[in-house]
Amino acid sequence: MISLAETLSTMDGEQAARLRGLVVRQLILARRLPEQQFTLVHLFLLPGPGFSMYEVIEPVDGTAPLDQVAEAAVEELQASGDPRLIANSDERWQSRDPQLRGIYVGTGARFTTAPPKVADTTLLRLADGAAVILVLLPEEKPLLQASQPLMIGEQVLPPTREMPGTREPAFVLVDRVAEALRQPRKPFSAFG
């Protein structure tokens, strides 16, 4: 599995912020509620012209303690080596990337809050270690926090100094799973 981690580390600040912004923009444009209350999500970038991303949804037991969920997810990843190859993961990605050419972008958790204020929340750890918290409320502007700068269009969004959400149990779960995917990988160049 190829990762964007090394490539992002070699980019200048503006290029990295632009790429992070493209990832977040894709999440905003996709704007959908999770099919389950709580899932893990792994993002992949398809190589080629344009910017095309897909996700692999890994269902988890939302009623189990998060330590147990993390342990099970890490064991599955260590056994398969790639979130796309986990036995119970969503297989819709296969029609877009049957040859496993996708480049790993990051891992997150997505969940829906209960009514009356239903929201799609994504907690994401990008391959370069940047943390992103994205809350999509119906008919409202997205709420966004990121630990590294993002560039969406020509607007640079500075990093959020304090992100207490990254210390919450759900983000700790994301970090444990993302850590299981970190290893030296062949770099991918998005900018030629």
PDB file of all heavy atoms in Angstrom, residues 9 11-12 23-24 27 30 40 48 50 64 68 71 105 108 120 128 131 134-136 142 160 178 181 185 187 192:
ATOM      1  N   SER A   9       5.503  15.155   3.224  1.00  0.00           N
ATOM      2  CA  SER A   9       6.628  15.669   4.012  1.00  0.00           C
ATOM      3  C   SER A   9       7.656  16.390   3.141  1.00  0.00           C
ATOM      4  O   SER A   9       8.429  17.204   3.645  1.00  0.00           O
ATOM      5  CB  SER A   9       7.291  14.545   4.806  1.00  0.00           C
ATOM      6  OG  SER A   9       7.991  13.672   3.942  1.00  0.00           O
ATOM      7  N   MET A  11       6.774  18.238   0.417  1.00  0.00           N
ATOM      8  CA  MET A  11       6.137  19.400  -0.214  1.00  0.00           C
ATOM      9  C   MET A  11       6.407  20.659   0.586  1.00  0.00           C
ATOM     10  O   MET A  11       6.591  20.602   1.799  1.00  0.00           O
ATOM     11  CB  MET A  11       4.620  19.198  -0.284  1.00  0.00           C
ATOM     12  CG  MET A  11       4.176  18.157  -1.243  1.00  0.00           C
ATOM     13  SD  MET A  11       2.354  18.067  -1.183  1.00  0.00           S
ATOM     14  CE  MET A  11       2.079  16.933  -2.510  1.00  0.00           C
ATOM     15  N   ASP A  12       6.381  21.801  -0.126  1.00  0.00           N
ATOM     16  CA  ASP A  12       6.462  23.055   0.617  1.00  0.00           C
ATOM     17  C   ASP A  12       5.109  23.277   1.299  1.00  0.00           C
ATOM     18  O   ASP A  12       4.136  22.570   1.030  1.00  0.00           O
ATOM     19  CB  ASP A  12       6.879  24.221  -0.284  1.00  0.00           C
ATOM     20  CG  ASP A  12       5.836  24.621  -1.330  1.00  0.00           C
ATOM     21  OD1 ASP A  12       4.619  24.516  -1.068  1.00  0.00           O
ATOM     22  OD2 ASP A  12       6.246  25.048  -2.429  1.00  0.00           O
ATOM     23  N   VAL A  23      -8.490  17.279  -0.041  1.00  0.00           N
ATOM     24  CA  VAL A  23      -9.065  16.132   0.660  1.00  0.00           C
ATOM     25  C   VAL A  23     -10.310  16.572   1.440  1.00  0.00           C
ATOM     26  O   VAL A  23     -11.383  15.963   1.334  1.00  0.00           O
ATOM     27  CB  VAL A  23      -8.034  15.481   1.610  1.00  0.00           C
ATOM     28  CG1 VAL A  23      -8.693  14.461   2.540  1.00  0.00           C
ATOM     29  CG2 VAL A  23      -6.912  14.840   0.811  1.00  0.00           C
ATOM     30  N   VAL A  24     -10.196  17.657   2.196  1.00  0.00           N
ATOM     31  CA  VAL A  24     -11.327  18.144   2.989  1.00  0.00           C
ATOM     32  C   VAL A  24     -12.465  18.584   2.072  1.00  0.00           C
ATOM     33  O   VAL A  24     -13.639  18.294   2.340  1.00  0.00           O
ATOM     34  CB  VAL A  24     -10.883  19.283   3.936  1.00  0.00           C
ATOM     35  CG1 VAL A  24     -12.077  19.978   4.560  1.00  0.00           C
ATOM     36  CG2 VAL A  24      -9.958  18.733   5.013  1.00  0.00           C
ATOM     37  N   LEU A  27     -14.470  15.666   1.025  1.00  0.00           N
ATOM     38  CA  LEU A  27     -15.346  15.199   2.107  1.00  0.00           C
ATOM     39  C   LEU A  27     -16.585  16.083   2.226  1.00  0.00           C
ATOM     40  O   LEU A  27     -17.692  15.594   2.458  1.00  0.00           O
ATOM     41  CB  LEU A  27     -14.596  15.168   3.440  1.00  0.00           C
ATOM     42  CG  LEU A  27     -13.508  14.114   3.575  1.00  0.00           C
ATOM     43  CD1 LEU A  27     -12.724  14.327   4.863  1.00  0.00           C
ATOM     44  CD2 LEU A  27     -14.092  12.717   3.530  1.00  0.00           C
ATOM     45  N   ALA A  30     -18.922  15.427  -0.800  1.00  0.00           N
ATOM     46  CA  ALA A  30     -19.581  14.125  -0.726  1.00  0.00           C
ATOM     47  C   ALA A  30     -20.803  14.200   0.193  1.00  0.00           C
ATOM     48  O   ALA A  30     -21.784  13.506  -0.018  1.00  0.00           O
ATOM     49  CB  ALA A  30     -18.610  13.061  -0.233  1.00  0.00           C
ATOM     50  N   LEU A  40     -15.351   3.189  10.818  1.00  0.00           N
ATOM     51  CA  LEU A  40     -14.019   3.664  10.462  1.00  0.00           C
ATOM     52  C   LEU A  40     -14.039   3.913   8.966  1.00  0.00           C
ATOM     53  O   LEU A  40     -14.752   3.234   8.226  1.00  0.00           O
ATOM     54  CB  LEU A  40     -12.956   2.623  10.803  1.00  0.00           C
ATOM     55  CG  LEU A  40     -12.669   2.425  12.281  1.00  0.00           C
ATOM     56  CD1 LEU A  40     -11.692   1.270  12.480  1.00  0.00           C
ATOM     57  CD2 LEU A  40     -12.116   3.694  12.903  1.00  0.00           C
ATOM     58  N   GLY A  48      -3.658   9.588 -11.400  1.00  0.00           N
ATOM     59  CA  GLY A  48      -4.132   9.931 -12.732  1.00  0.00           C
ATOM     60  C   GLY A  48      -4.513  11.393 -12.810  1.00  0.00           C
ATOM     61  O   GLY A  48      -4.331  12.143 -11.850  1.00  0.00           O
ATOM     62  N   GLY A  50      -6.610  14.783 -12.701  1.00  0.00           N
ATOM     63  CA  GLY A  50      -7.679  15.215 -11.793  1.00  0.00           C
ATOM     64  C   GLY A  50      -7.417  14.750 -10.377  1.00  0.00           C
ATOM     65  O   GLY A  50      -6.362  14.251 -10.038  1.00  0.00           O
ATOM     66  N   ALA A  64     -19.511  -1.632  21.542  1.00  0.00           N
ATOM     67  CA  ALA A  64     -18.372  -2.188  22.282  1.00  0.00           C
ATOM     68  C   ALA A  64     -17.506  -1.052  22.832  1.00  0.00           C
ATOM     69  O   ALA A  64     -17.486   0.052  22.284  1.00  0.00           O
ATOM     70  CB  ALA A  64     -17.542  -3.079  21.366  1.00  0.00           C
ATOM     71  N   GLN A  68     -11.681  -2.097  22.880  1.00  0.00           N
ATOM     72  CA  GLN A  68     -11.951  -3.375  22.214  1.00  0.00           C
ATOM     73  C   GLN A  68     -12.088  -3.169  20.701  1.00  0.00           C
ATOM     74  O   GLN A  68     -11.579  -3.960  19.917  1.00  0.00           O
ATOM     75  CB  GLN A  68     -13.229  -3.986  22.790  1.00  0.00           C
ATOM     76  CG  GLN A  68     -13.590  -5.330  22.215  1.00  0.00           C
ATOM     77  CD  GLN A  68     -14.874  -5.861  22.844  1.00  0.00           C
ATOM     78  OE1 GLN A  68     -15.216  -5.536  23.985  1.00  0.00           O
ATOM     79  NE2 GLN A  68     -15.587  -6.677  22.089  1.00  0.00           N
ATOM     80  N   GLU A  71      -8.570  -2.514  19.306  1.00  0.00           N
ATOM     81  CA  GLU A  71      -7.780  -3.744  19.276  1.00  0.00           C
ATOM     82  C   GLU A  71      -8.194  -4.628  18.094  1.00  0.00           C
ATOM     83  O   GLU A  71      -7.341  -5.146  17.371  1.00  0.00           O
ATOM     84  CB  GLU A  71      -7.951  -4.498  20.598  1.00  0.00           C
ATOM     85  CG  GLU A  71      -7.034  -5.691  20.740  1.00  0.00           C
ATOM     86  CD  GLU A  71      -7.179  -6.329  22.118  1.00  0.00           C
ATOM     87  OE1 GLU A  71      -7.138  -5.594  23.123  1.00  0.00           O
ATOM     88  OE2 GLU A  71      -7.321  -7.564  22.156  1.00  0.00           O
ATOM     89  N   VAL A 105      -4.494   8.054   1.969  1.00  0.00           N
ATOM     90  CA  VAL A 105      -4.545   9.461   2.350  1.00  0.00           C
ATOM     91  C   VAL A 105      -4.700   9.627   3.862  1.00  0.00           C
ATOM     92  O   VAL A 105      -4.093  10.515   4.452  1.00  0.00           O
ATOM     93  CB  VAL A 105      -5.712  10.168   1.623  1.00  0.00           C
ATOM     94  CG1 VAL A 105      -5.888  11.589   2.098  1.00  0.00           C
ATOM     95  CG2 VAL A 105      -5.513  10.122   0.117  1.00  0.00           C
ATOM     96  N   GLY A 108     -10.021   7.662   9.432  1.00  0.00           N
ATOM     97  CA  GLY A 108     -10.872   8.437  10.316  1.00  0.00           C
ATOM     98  C   GLY A 108     -12.008   7.618  10.878  1.00  0.00           C
ATOM     99  O   GLY A 108     -12.138   6.421  10.616  1.00  0.00           O
ATOM    100  N   ASP A 120     -23.216  14.914  10.428  1.00  0.00           N
ATOM    101  CA  ASP A 120     -22.229  13.932   9.978  1.00  0.00           C
ATOM    102  C   ASP A 120     -20.886  14.451  10.462  1.00  0.00           C
ATOM    103  O   ASP A 120     -20.442  15.515  10.046  1.00  0.00           O
ATOM    104  CB  ASP A 120     -22.282  13.843   8.448  1.00  0.00           C
ATOM    105  CG  ASP A 120     -21.161  13.012   7.856  1.00  0.00           C
ATOM    106  OD1 ASP A 120     -20.507  12.260   8.601  1.00  0.00           O
ATOM    107  OD2 ASP A 120     -20.933  13.122   6.638  1.00  0.00           O
ATOM    108  N   ASP A 128       0.103  12.441   6.799  1.00  0.00           N
ATOM    109  CA  ASP A 128       1.217  13.252   7.299  1.00  0.00           C
ATOM    110  C   ASP A 128       1.081  13.597   8.775  1.00  0.00           C
ATOM    111  O   ASP A 128       1.879  14.351   9.318  1.00  0.00           O
ATOM    112  CB  ASP A 128       1.363  14.527   6.469  1.00  0.00           C
ATOM    113  CG  ASP A 128       0.238  15.524   6.671  1.00  0.00           C
ATOM    114  OD1 ASP A 128      -0.844  15.132   7.162  1.00  0.00           O
ATOM    115  OD2 ASP A 128       0.425  16.710   6.321  1.00  0.00           O
ATOM    116  N   ALA A 131      -4.358  16.389  11.901  1.00  0.00           N
ATOM    117  CA  ALA A 131      -5.670  16.024  12.435  1.00  0.00           C
ATOM    118  C   ALA A 131      -6.722  16.942  11.829  1.00  0.00           C
ATOM    119  O   ALA A 131      -6.487  18.141  11.676  1.00  0.00           O
ATOM    120  CB  ALA A 131      -5.681  16.163  13.951  1.00  0.00           C
ATOM    121  N   LEU A 134     -14.272  17.491  11.057  1.00  0.00           N
ATOM    122  CA  LEU A 134     -15.215  18.082  10.124  1.00  0.00           C
ATOM    123  C   LEU A 134     -16.631  17.698  10.550  1.00  0.00           C
ATOM    124  O   LEU A 134     -16.938  16.518  10.686  1.00  0.00           O
ATOM    125  CB  LEU A 134     -14.943  17.573   8.703  1.00  0.00           C
ATOM    126  CG  LEU A 134     -15.897  18.011   7.604  1.00  0.00           C
ATOM    127  CD1 LEU A 134     -15.853  19.523   7.408  1.00  0.00           C
ATOM    128  CD2 LEU A 134     -15.577  17.284   6.309  1.00  0.00           C
ATOM    129  N   VAL A 135     -17.470  18.711  10.768  1.00  0.00           N
ATOM    130  CA  VAL A 135     -18.862  18.484  11.141  1.00  0.00           C
ATOM    131  C   VAL A 135     -19.734  19.098  10.057  1.00  0.00           C
ATOM    132  O   VAL A 135     -19.644  20.299   9.777  1.00  0.00           O
ATOM    133  CB  VAL A 135     -19.196  19.108  12.517  1.00  0.00           C
ATOM    134  CG1 VAL A 135     -20.660  18.861  12.878  1.00  0.00           C
ATOM    135  CG2 VAL A 135     -18.264  18.575  13.592  1.00  0.00           C
ATOM    136  N   LEU A 136     -20.553  18.253   9.440  1.00  0.00           N
ATOM    137  CA  LEU A 136     -21.461  18.698   8.389  1.00  0.00           C
ATOM    138  C   LEU A 136     -22.887  18.678   8.933  1.00  0.00           C
ATOM    139  O   LEU A 136     -23.446  17.618   9.181  1.00  0.00           O
ATOM    140  CB  LEU A 136     -21.349  17.791   7.167  1.00  0.00           C
ATOM    141  CG  LEU A 136     -19.973  17.739   6.505  1.00  0.00           C
ATOM    142  CD1 LEU A 136     -19.938  16.670   5.431  1.00  0.00           C
ATOM    143  CD2 LEU A 136     -19.597  19.091   5.938  1.00  0.00           C
ATOM    144  N   PRO A 142     -20.160  24.047   6.948  1.00  0.00           N
ATOM    145  CA  PRO A 142     -19.393  23.043   7.696  1.00  0.00           C
ATOM    146  C   PRO A 142     -18.569  23.670   8.816  1.00  0.00           C
ATOM    147  O   PRO A 142     -18.090  24.805   8.700  1.00  0.00           O
ATOM    148  CB  PRO A 142     -18.462  22.440   6.639  1.00  0.00           C
ATOM    149  CG  PRO A 142     -19.064  22.792   5.333  1.00  0.00           C
ATOM    150  CD  PRO A 142     -19.801  24.081   5.539  1.00  0.00           C
ATOM    151  N   THR A 160      -5.723  25.174  13.705  1.00  0.00           N
ATOM    152  CA  THR A 160      -6.382  25.434  14.982  1.00  0.00           C
ATOM    153  C   THR A 160      -5.360  25.140  16.074  1.00  0.00           C
ATOM    154  O   THR A 160      -4.785  24.058  16.111  1.00  0.00           O
ATOM    155  CB  THR A 160      -7.616  24.518  15.134  1.00  0.00           C
ATOM    156  OG1 THR A 160      -8.464  24.723  14.007  1.00  0.00           O
ATOM    157  CG2 THR A 160      -8.366  24.805  16.417  1.00  0.00           C
ATOM    158  N   ALA A 178      -4.637   4.429  12.653  1.00  0.00           N
ATOM    159  CA  ALA A 178      -3.732   5.097  11.708  1.00  0.00           C
ATOM    160  C   ALA A 178      -2.283   4.696  11.972  1.00  0.00           C
ATOM    161  O   ALA A 178      -1.510   4.482  11.030  1.00  0.00           O
ATOM    162  CB  ALA A 178      -3.900   6.614  11.789  1.00  0.00           C
ATOM    163  N   LEU A 181      -1.153   1.578  10.368  1.00  0.00           N
ATOM    164  CA  LEU A 181      -0.943   1.652   8.913  1.00  0.00           C
ATOM    165  C   LEU A 181       0.365   2.347   8.534  1.00  0.00           C
ATOM    166  O   LEU A 181       0.734   2.362   7.370  1.00  0.00           O
ATOM    167  CB  LEU A 181      -2.110   2.386   8.252  1.00  0.00           C
ATOM    168  CG  LEU A 181      -3.405   1.597   8.214  1.00  0.00           C
ATOM    169  CD1 LEU A 181      -4.567   2.504   7.849  1.00  0.00           C
ATOM    170  CD2 LEU A 181      -3.290   0.446   7.243  1.00  0.00           C
ATOM    171  N   ARG A 185       6.930   3.838   2.877  1.00  0.00           N
ATOM    172  CA  ARG A 185       6.239   3.527   1.625  1.00  0.00           C
ATOM    173  C   ARG A 185       6.831   4.322   0.471  1.00  0.00           C
ATOM    174  O   ARG A 185       7.464   5.342   0.674  1.00  0.00           O
ATOM    175  CB  ARG A 185       4.750   3.859   1.743  1.00  0.00           C
ATOM    176  CG  ARG A 185       4.011   2.956   2.695  1.00  0.00           C
ATOM    177  CD  ARG A 185       2.656   3.562   2.998  1.00  0.00           C
ATOM    178  NE  ARG A 185       1.765   2.712   3.739  1.00  0.00           N
ATOM    179  CZ  ARG A 185       1.868   2.384   4.998  1.00  0.00           C
ATOM    180  NH1 ARG A 185       2.888   2.769   5.689  1.00  0.00           N
ATOM    181  NH2 ARG A 185       0.972   1.642   5.595  1.00  0.00           N
ATOM    182  N   PRO A 187       6.913   7.013  -2.263  1.00  0.00           N
ATOM    183  CA  PRO A 187       6.214   8.302  -2.347  1.00  0.00           C
ATOM    184  C   PRO A 187       5.438   8.440  -3.654  1.00  0.00           C
ATOM    185  O   PRO A 187       5.775   7.850  -4.659  1.00  0.00           O
ATOM    186  CB  PRO A 187       7.348   9.322  -2.276  1.00  0.00           C
ATOM    187  CG  PRO A 187       8.556   8.602  -2.713  1.00  0.00           C
ATOM    188  CD  PRO A 187       8.353   7.159  -2.362  1.00  0.00           C
ATOM    189  N   GLY A 192       3.709  16.444 -10.006  1.00  0.00           N
ATOM    190  CA  GLY A 192       4.659  16.217 -11.100  1.00  0.00           C
ATOM    191  C   GLY A 192       6.061  15.964 -10.694  1.00  0.00           C
ATOM    192  O   GLY A 192       6.537  15.856  -9.674  1.00  0.00           O
TER     193      GLY A 192
END
